[in-house]
Amino acid sequence: MKCRGFSLAEILITLVILGFVGALGVPMIGQQKLKKPIEVIARHGTMECFYDHSGVLHQYRANNTENKNGVDEAPAEPDACYFSAPSANLFVIQAVGAGGGGAIGAGMPKYTPQTVPVNGYIRTNEGFLADINNKDKVPDWVREEWDKQWTDNNWIQYTIQSPIGSSGKAVCEPRRKENTMYLGKDCVELCTIDILANCPKECRDDLEAKGGASDSGAKYVVKTKIGVADDIIFGTTIDATSLSIGAKNITLQVSTKGEDAKINYPSFGVAQDGKNGEAVKSYVLSNGNGPFVSFSGGDMKIQSKSKYGEKQLGGTGCSQQQGKPAIKGAIIGGNPPNIRFTTQSLGVNATFGVAGSAGESKMKIMEKMPENTRLKLVPARDTTQRSIVYIEIDGEWKKFLDVDSGGDGHMTSEVIPIEKGDFPFPKRYYPSAFEADEPEFSIASGAGYKSLIARMGYKPGASGAGAYPVITHVTGSAVHWINGTKTGDEPLKPLDGGMAAVQCLTGGSPVGGYCGSPNTSGNPGAVVITW
């Protein structure tokens, strides 16, 4: 039987078939595509509960997913909105009370010219700089004309007393008498322990010496001028007395102290009294600088110099070993204690109304508020109410956030001096007293959703603005007096351009000679929740 193998063609055909079959079991490249990650959108949104200007309560909801433009819903109750917490990581809850009204009361803004007496004083002690810079009590002309007041006869007087030095200690070495009897007993037997405390005087022969006495102090009386920017500083210690008025200074050092007494040892030596403090004549006789007195920085006129106080006596011996401590110095003055100013100022009797105050504003931040937690939002309609947020706990509503409303600004009449720069109304009030006040309140808009409050340009809790007459000129002049000296007069220049040049704080020109409107309402309150 003849055997035969496969031909080359048969083998190649077989390999092609096997390769084709094997390839069917291998996945094609790119057949298994990567799945696109699911995009997780963080949920953000807002709920706004507020009254508009017409008194309508709005309950507005918006979020960054299915309700970006927001929905202004009708509240379930006429004075409250209800909120059920969605799933979110952070909640910001804000409440603001209603703003107070502006210029509340009877009457219209107006004024009549009137002369007003202006009087006041400025202390010449360490309170000087605070007084001169108090613009509520000191008119500008006083600061501007201050240096014109000084004559040879109205400088301010100060009395400077030096410290008095300490006195020296005494020394004492208690000793008992030998071969001496007292009350039938030998003094050696009576004086064995703590001789100073237990040994009778009749058995003692102490070695002692007195401490030195200090010198008495010195007193200087000086006169000087005070500059408008001078800080007055009284420095009083046991080491020196120093008066500084701006760059000017006088300093008195402590008088010479008494020295301590001494004992020359070993025992049975000699006790020596302490030296007294030396009286330094230049202390009270020198017109210039010396070891105990120094002047610097400007003109101070010396009126008198004299000794001051008594010497401090030193310790006397075993019965009184301690000396006396140093005595702190002192400054008396100024004299006169006040510099007075006066004028018959030009002024007005003005009727005006100030702005109200903004509603109170508070914020609370809560992390991971349980889902479906219910809040009741009650914004203040007017200043008689408060803005309150309640939270439902076990079926009961409990206060969670509570804020007060602002106060009204009232119409009033006041006689006000008119100074340079006071047009169109005295700067003691203008403009801050008339500008509407706005509370701190944050609206989160633009985070993928829209805010109705922001869209309306509404300002919850803002107060009503004030109303004031526009003053363009007051004719005449006023004579100024400072410290008994005529320092000038004050003709007032009319406001350039008159009424036509005035722009009211709220925009526009004055109508009827005044800006603003009486009885301006403040804005109602609001409660806003963002997450």
Side-chain angles (χ1 to χ4, degrees):
M1 183 176 177
K2 187 176 180 179
C3 297
R4 57 187 298 268
F6 293 102
S7 66
L8 179 60
E10 292 173 329
I11 293 174
L12 291 175
I13 292 172
T14 302
L15 289 174
V16 170
I17 294 172
L18 291 174
F20 180 75
V21 173
L24 293 176
V26 178
M28 293 179 63
I29 296 176
Q31 184 179 14
Q32 291 187 352
K33 296 182 180 179
L34 295 175
K35 293 184 179 180
K36 184 179 179 181
I38 297 174
E39 184 178 0
V40 178
I41 300 176
R43 293 180 61 85
H44 298 287
T46 186
M47 174 149 181
E48 300 172 350
C49 184
F50 65 98
Y51 289 98
D52 62 20
H53 292 289
S54 61
V56 175
L57 181 64
H58 293 264
Q59 178 175 294
Y60 175 80
R61 302 173 187 266
N63 58 50
N64 64 336
T65 54
E66 71 279 358
N67 186 21
K68 295 182 179 182
N69 291 324
V71 176
D72 191 7
E73 306 169 325
E77 296 180 8
D79 59 355
C81 307
Y82 288 86
F83 174 76
S84 183
S87 176
N89 291 328
L90 187 71
F91 293 86
V92 179
I93 304 169
Q94 298 179 86
V96 61
I104 302 299
M108 299 295 290
K110 60 184 179 180
Y111 76 94
T112 55
Q114 183 169 327
T115 302
V116 184
V118 175
N119 303 290
Y121 64 87
I122 298 161
R123 292 172 291 175
T124 56
N125 57 18
E126 290 180 294
F128 170 80
L129 202 58
D131 286 356
I132 194 73
N133 289 322
N134 187 338
K135 294 187 177 182
D136 291 334
K137 294 185 178 180
V138 179
D140 287 341
W141 64 262
V142 175
R143 286 177 286 274
E144 294 171 0
E145 301 173 11
W146 183 258
D147 290 338
K148 297 179 181 179
Q149 69 177 289
W150 301 114
T151 68
D152 291 338
N153 301 317
N154 65 356
W155 291 24
I156 309 303
Q157 179 175 293
Y158 298 89
T159 300
I160 300 98
Q161 299 171 350
S162 76
I164 298 177
S166 60
S167 60
K169 296 179 181 179
V171 292
C172 170
E173 185 177 283
R175 295 180 176 182
R176 68 187 178 194
K177 294 179 180 179
E178 304 293 336
N179 303 318
T180 301
M181 302 295 292
Y182 177 66
L183 297 180
K185 293 185 179 181
D186 191 335
C187 285
V188 174
E189 296 179 4
L190 294 173
C191 305
T192 56
I193 300 174
D194 194 354
I195 296 175
L196 185 61
N198 301 318
C199 187
K201 293 181 179 180
E202 291 78 5
C203 291
R204 285 165 48 189
D205 186 14
D206 298 332
L207 179 64
E208 56 186 350
K210 297 178 180 179
S214 71
D215 187 17
S216 57
K219 178 171 69 176
Y220 271 63
V221 178
V222 300
K223 282 190 173 182
T224 187
K225 296 183 289 187
I226 305 174
V228 70
D230 284 349
D231 194 6
I232 299 178
I233 301 174
F234 292 179
T236 55
T237 69
I238 60 173
D239 298 315
T241 303
S242 175
L243 169 65
S244 295
I245 301 178
K248 301 181 288 291
N249 176 271
I250 176 175
T251 298
L252 301 183
Q253 302 293 335
V254 62
S255 66
T256 310
K257 68 179 182 179
E259 295 184 359
D260 293 340
K262 298 178 181 178
I263 291 181
N264 297 326
Y265 287 97
S267 295
F268 305 102
V270 178
Q272 182 179 355
D273 289 343
K275 290 183 179 181
N276 292 332
E278 296 181 5
V280 181
K281 292 183 179 180
S282 64
Y283 203 157
V284 294
L285 298 179
S286 172
N287 286 325
N289 293 332
F292 287 91
V293 59
S294 62
F295 292 87
S296 64
D299 192 8
M300 283 191 177
K301 297 178 181 179
I302 300 175
Q303 303 300 298
S304 66
K305 301 167 289 184
S306 60
K307 286 186 176 292
Y308 161 69
E310 300 295 334
K311 297 179 178 180
Q312 298 258 72
L313 299 179
T316 56
C318 292
S319 61
Q320 181 186 335
Q321 296 185 42
Q322 294 297 321
K324 294 181 179 179
I327 299 174
K328 188 168 68 171
I331 297 175
I332 302 171
N335 184 17
N338 305 305
I339 294 176
R340 297 190 173 273
F341 59 85
T342 183
T343 184
Q344 281 291 334
S345 177
L346 301 172
V348 294
N349 187 346
T351 299
F352 59 96
V354 298
S357 60
E360 182 186 12
S361 178
K362 287 183 181 179
M363 173 190 295
K364 281 192 175 183
I365 299 176
M366 295 188 65
E367 292 188 71
K368 295 189 179 297
M369 186 189 298
E371 193 170 352
N372 296 321
T373 298
R374 296 188 70 215
L375 300 177
K376 181 180 179 181
L377 320 180
V378 184
R381 185 191 301 268
D382 52 43
T383 55
T384 64
Q385 301 176 347
R386 303 171 67 91
S387 289
I388 304 174
V389 178
Y390 298 90
I391 187 169
E392 188 178 39
I393 299 176
D394 297 331
E396 294 185 8
W397 292 107
K398 298 184 180 296
K399 280 187 181 180
F400 177 74
L401 190 59
D402 183 3
V403 296
D404 200 2
S405 293
D408 292 335
H410 293 278
M411 292 289 292
T412 186
S413 294
E414 182 179 346
V415 177
I416 309 174
I418 298 292
E419 307 295 339
K420 185 171 62 177
D422 272 347
F423 300 143
F425 199 83
K427 57 189 175 185
R428 64 190 288 182
Y429 290 108
Y430 183 88
S432 58
F434 305 112
E435 293 179 306
D437 190 15
E438 295 182 16
E440 293 290 334
F441 196 65
S442 176
I443 300 296
S445 184
Y449 60 86
K450 295 182 179 180
S451 162
L452 181 59
I453 290 178
R455 192 187 312 165
M456 293 173 61
Y458 188 62
K459 298 176 180 178
S463 70
Y468 55 93
V470 172
I471 304 169
T472 59
H473 65 280
V474 178
T475 58
S477 62
V479 178
H480 300 157
W481 297 85
I482 305 176
N483 200 11
T485 302
K486 179 182 176 181
T487 58
D489 53 32
E490 184 184 16
L492 291 177
K493 181 182 177 183
L495 185 68
D496 290 341
M499 192 72 68
V502 177
Q503 180 80 10
C504 294
L505 294 173
T506 54
S509 300
V511 177
Y514 63 90
C515 288
S517 300
N519 299 302
T520 303
S521 300
N523 288 349
V527 178
V528 174
I529 302 175
T530 55
W531 62 90

